Amino acid sequence: IVNKMNKRKSPKKVIESTELPGLEEGYVKFTGEEIIPASLPNGRGMTNVYYDKNKIERELKKRRADTYHMIHTHPVNVLNDPYPNYPKLPSPGDFNCFLLHNAIKTMTVAQTNAKTGKLQGYYVLRKTKDTPKMPGESGGEPLINEYDQCYYSNKSRNTNPTEYIQRIAEKYKLRHRFIPAKGYELDFKVGTFVKKRGLEEKLTRV
């Protein structure tokens, strides 16, 4: 008989159960296990999250593991959001963190509704055996600096942010996927998951 109390919760269920959906939340995951909240107690903000590095080290040592999966949320429609028009793709800072920490095997950004906490889609990046190991500190990578300008300058984007993600993935030999939740699709130009539009609405936007 399976004990339902011990059944592993899905990442979606854990993410949607947060008590403060308007703030970013950070998690770590080890293969075959439930995701674990890993934000510092006072490290959650509307547009950033600080991880508890000591907790991550303890979890790694407990499992004698060398790598882990990093997950964090990007809420949309945050009340008083200082950056309402920015994409909810992985940010330039997210990329730097992912590439500079060799222990992070995958990075997933979960776009959520800031009021309800409901999941709207995942942006997933995974390192491969060909991904170069990076030094411990940022060297001012030009391509990510370009992405930084694109990401934060919604008024004058010559290249949409999803194209930069493709270029970064190609350069660093990363695999990446956009996974919309049911009823959502990715707006590639803006870089945000949006509710699916009907055929008539799509035609009016052509």
Side-chain angles (χ1 to χ4, degrees), residues 70 118 128 196:
M70 183 176 77
K118 295 296 183 183
T128 68
K196 281 186 175 180

Side-chain angles (χ1 to χ4, degrees), residues 40-176:
L40 284 168
N42 297 314
R44 298 177 60 191
M46 289 187 292
T47 58
N48 57 17
V49 61
Y50 292 94
Y51 277 81
D52 186 336
K53 296 179 182 177
N54 291 329
K55 180 174 183 177
I56 294 173
E57 286 296 324
R58 289 196 302 270
E59 297 294 341
L60 283 166
K61 287 181 180 178
K62 188 190 302 182
R63 295 163 178 80
R64 298 182 180 179
D66 298 318
T67 61
Y68 63 94
H69 308 279
M70 183 176 77
I71 303 168
H72 70 283
T73 60
H74 278 184
V76 295
N77 301 322
V78 177
L79 184 65
N80 299 321
D81 186 348
Y83 312 113
N85 298 317
Y86 290 177
K88 297 305 176 182
L89 298 167
S91 70
D94 293 336
F95 267 110
N96 279 324
C97 177
F98 179 48
L99 292 170
L100 293 172
H101 290 81
N102 296 318
I104 304 173
K105 189 175 181 179
T106 65
M107 175 175 69
T108 300
V109 171
Q111 180 182 308
T112 57
N113 182 297
K115 295 180 180 179
T116 66
K118 295 296 183 183
L119 182 70
Q120 297 177 343
Y122 291 117
Y123 307 96
V124 184
L125 292 123
R126 177 182 293 274
K127 291 173 182 170
T128 68
K129 62 182 179 61
D130 298 316
T131 301
K133 291 190 180 297
M134 304 293 286
E137 295 185 7
S138 173
E141 163 54 47
L143 183 56
I144 294 179
N145 290 341
E146 286 181 26
Y147 177 54
D148 186 288
Q149 296 174 21
C150 170
Y151 189 92
Y152 292 113
S153 181
N154 60 297
K155 292 181 181 179
S156 58
R157 288 189 182 129
N158 294 320
T159 305
N160 71 52
T162 53
E163 289 178 19
Y164 267 107
I165 285 190
Q166 178 64 35
R167 289 168 59 185
I168 293 170
E170 289 175 357
K171 177 169 183 177
Y172 291 103
K173 305 296 188 293
L174 305 172
R175 293 180 180 174
H176 70 104

Side-chain angles (χ1 to χ4, degrees), residues 1-7:
I1 300 174
V2 177
N3 186 345
K4 293 184 179 180
M5 295 296 291
N6 294 328
K7 187 176 180 181

